[in-house]
Amino acid sequence: MQIAERMNVIAESITLKVSAKASALKRAGVDVVGFGAGEPDFDTPAFIKDAAKTAIDKGQTKYTPTPCLPELRQAIADKFNRENHLPYKPEQISVGAGGKHALYMAFMATLNAGDEVLIPTPYWVSYPEQIKLAGGVPKFIPGDEKNGFRITPAQLDAAITPRTRGLIMNSPSNPGGHAYTPDELKALADVVVRHPNVMVYSDEIYEKLLYGGLKFVSFAALHPQLLDQTLTFNCHSKSFAMTGWRVGYVGGPKDAIDAINKLQSQMCSHITSFTQIPAALALNDPRGAESIEAMRQQFEKRGAHMWKRLTELPKVTCVKPQGAFYCFPNVSAYFGKNAGEIAIKDAISFSSALLEQSHVAVVPGNDSGFDTHIRLSFATSMEQIDKGLDRVARFLVELK
Ligand SMILES: Cc1ncc(COP(=O)(O)O)c(C=O)c1O
C-alpha cells in the first residue's frame, strides 16, 4: 500500500525499539529491572476511579461537546486561576487525549510551513517529530550539563532569528530531570517578551513533581504580555497517575484555542465521555492534592537515592534531579569499550548491551538530542533501584 510522504519526515523511535526488546526478554521469563517507564508506579487514586464507575453507571457514555463537558472546562480554568495565576476562562481551554495529543493539536493549529521552533536540549522525544508533522522546523538550543541543562537568557537571545515562531519550555523536564527556578524563568521570559512574534509552548505536565523546595511558576504568569504569547499545557497523566486515561489540556489565547477545538472536532470529537467528570473532580477535590503530595514525597526520596548511587559509579556524572522522575547520567566515559561482542560507541549500544547482558532496561538519550546520556526512571521501588544499580555497577566493571 502507498505510504504518505509525510511519514518520511518523522523518525522511528529508538526508545520503542529498546523497550520492545525489554518486553520480549520479560516475556521469555528473564528478570529485567525496568528503568524505562515514563509513568508513575502508583495507582490512580480510588476516588477518581470511583467517579469513573459512577459516570458509566449514570450513562455518561455518549458524545459530549468537542471542548468537553462545561464542568471539566470550568474545573481546568479554576485550576489555572487558583494554582497558576493564569486568568483563563473556560472558553480558553481545550482538552485532548493526553498531553501528547494536546501538544500535537496545538502545533497543527498554530504553525505554518517553515516556521522555526526552538527546543532546548535534552528534550522530550515527541516535540521535534510533532513539529515536523505540522510543517514546522525544529531548531535546538543545546543545554549544557555543567549548567544543569538549563539554557541561559543569552543563549535564548542568540537563538532567536526572524524565522523563529515558537519556543518549547518544559520545566520540570523529561528527560533531564532539571527545573528552572522562578528567577531563572523570569530572565528567560524577559527575553521572550522582546520578541512578540515568538509563541511559547509551555509544557508544565511535571508541575507537581518538584524537589528540594523548588517553587513552581507558570511561564505565562511571568509577564502580562506572555498571556497572549503562550499556550500552557498540562495533563492528568503524571500528577494523578492517570497515564492510561488520556486526559491532557491546554489553556491560552481564545483564537488559538478555537483553532485547536476546530481541529479536535474533526479529529477525536472529544476525549472519552466518562473520564471527563472524574478528571474535573481530580482537580477540585482535596484528595487529589493529597495523593499528589504523597507520591511526590516518595519520588523525591527515590530520586535522591538513585542519583547518589549513580554518582558513586566511576566516571559517571549526573545532574541532580529537581523534578519529574528521571535521572539522566552521562555514560560517555565508557564509549570505546566492549561488552562481550558489543562495541559500545554511543548511548544506544550502551543501553542494548546493558539490557542484553545485565538485564537492566534504560532509555538511550539519542532521541532526546544527547547520544552521551541514558535516562533512568525512578518511578519504581527502592528495591528495584538498588537491584538495578548493583547490576549497572557490575556491568561497568566488566567492560573491556
Ligand atoms: C515532557 C512531556 N510532555 C508530554 C508528555 C505526554 O503526556 P501524556 O501521557 O499525557 O500524553 C510526556 C509524557 O511522557 C512528557 O514527558
Side-chain angles (χ1 to χ4, degrees):
M1 184 177 279
Q2 170 177 291
I3 304 301
E5 280 169 20
R6 78 175 68 83
M7 294 319 295
N8 295 329
V9 307
I10 55 169
E12 204 181 322
S13 167
I14 303 164
T15 314
L16 287 185
K17 277 193 197 153
V18 177
S19 52
K21 210 191 270 178
S23 306
L25 280 175
K26 277 188 204 158
R27 273 198 308 277
V30 178
D31 169 30
V32 175
V33 176
F35 290 139
E39 60 184 347
D41 54 325
F42 299 96
D43 197 4
T44 303
F47 78 96
I48 305 176
K49 293 200 289 190
D50 289 343
K53 291 174 202 161
T54 307
I56 293 176
D57 289 342
K58 277 176 143 178
Q60 283 167 4
T61 54
K62 303 286 166 56
Y63 290 134
T64 72
T66 282
C68 290
L69 295 170
E71 291 92 326
L72 178 55
R73 271 178 127 190
Q74 184 67 55
I76 293 170
D78 289 348
K79 180 254 184 259
F80 275 135
N81 278 261
R82 186 178 64 236
E83 297 181 0
N84 306 99
H85 308 292
L86 297 173
Y88 297 143
K89 298 187 173 67
E91 56 272 26
Q92 289 178 271
I93 307 297
S94 182
V95 185
K100 186 181 261 181
H101 181 223
L103 280 154
Y104 177 71
M105 290 196 296
F107 295 136
M108 290 297 284
T110 57
L111 291 176
N112 282 323
D115 282 346
E116 293 187 358
V117 181
L118 298 173
I119 309 178
T121 73
Y123 50 81
W124 178 53
V125 292
S126 295
Y127 297 136
E129 306 313 307
Q130 292 194 342
I131 288 164
K132 285 190 274 176
L133 276 173
V137 181
K139 293 278 167 183
F140 302 100
I141 309 179
D144 186 345
E145 187 178 347
K146 291 192 199 73
N147 195 38
F149 298 124
R150 296 179 306 261
I151 59 159
T152 63
Q155 269 185 298
L156 177 59
D157 205 28
I160 296 175
T161 74
R163 289 184 303 278
T164 307
R165 279 300 279 138
L167 165 70
I168 302 279
M169 286 303 301
N170 174 220
S171 174
S173 154
N174 172 12
H178 57 291
Y180 292 83
T181 65
D183 284 348
E184 287 166 343
L185 274 186
K186 176 77 174 80
L188 294 174
D190 288 344
V191 175
V192 173
V193 293
R194 291 205 300 275
H195 301 277
N197 290 332
V198 173
M199 298 176 281
V200 181
Y201 303 89
S202 185
D203 180 346
E204 304 184 355
I205 75 163
Y206 292 99
E207 166 191 15
K208 300 293 182 189
L209 301 177
L210 267 178
Y211 314 125
L214 208 59
K215 290 271 167 291
F216 183 80
V217 56
S218 275
F219 199 80
L222 290 164
H223 192 286
Q225 185 188 313
L226 288 176
L227 271 181
D228 294 328
Q229 238 176 296
T230 307
L231 288 166
T232 306
F233 298 85
N234 215 318
C235 66
H236 284 48
S237 305
K238 319 286 171 164
S239 309
F240 297 107
M242 287 172 67
T243 45
W245 294 58
R246 313 310 299 138
V247 181
Y249 53 93
V250 48
K254 187 166 178 307
D255 54 355
I257 296 298
D258 285 346
I260 293 169
N261 282 332
K262 187 171 164 188
L263 176 61
Q264 174 68 315
S265 75
Q266 300 294 3
M267 211 172 176
C268 307
S269 294
H270 56 77
I271 65 162
T272 304
S273 57
F274 47 83
T275 64
Q276 296 183 23
I277 294 296
L281 184 71
L283 295 171
N284 281 333
D285 193 293
R287 286 173 291 178
E290 283 160 22
S291 66
I292 290 171
E293 181 52 20
M295 197 164 69
R296 193 201 65 77
Q297 288 179 13
Q298 289 296 319
F299 283 142
E300 178 151 26
K301 283 191 205 131
R302 295 169 181 185
H305 183 66
M306 179 181 263
W307 174 76
K308 183 169 166 288
R309 291 223 40 189
L310 283 167
T311 51
E312 284 164 3
L313 296 171
K315 296 192 232 154
V316 170
T317 55
C318 186
V319 169
K320 188 167 188 187
Q322 294 164 296
F325 37 67
Y326 310 104
C327 284
F328 197 54
N330 184 339
V331 292
S332 61
Y334 292 91
F335 297 175
K337 294 195 176 264
N338 294 293
E341 302 286 281
I342 306 176
I344 302 209
K345 51 186 191 311
D346 62 4
I348 297 176
S349 41
F350 183 98
S351 305
S352 300
L354 182 62
L355 178 60
E356 279 172 29
Q357 297 179 5
S358 299
H359 304 149
V360 177
V362 300
V363 177
N366 301 58
D367 278 347
S368 298
F370 267 72
D371 63 4
T372 43
H373 289 58
I374 55 172
R375 191 193 78 174
L376 289 81
S377 160
F378 47 85
T380 186
S381 68
M382 283 287 195
E383 292 72 35
Q384 287 292 303
I385 291 172
D386 277 327
K387 184 171 165 183
L389 287 172
D390 288 347
R391 290 184 187 182
V392 174
R394 274 199 303 278
F395 172 79
L396 295 181
V397 169
E398 282 163 16
L399 291 179
K400 297 273 169 355

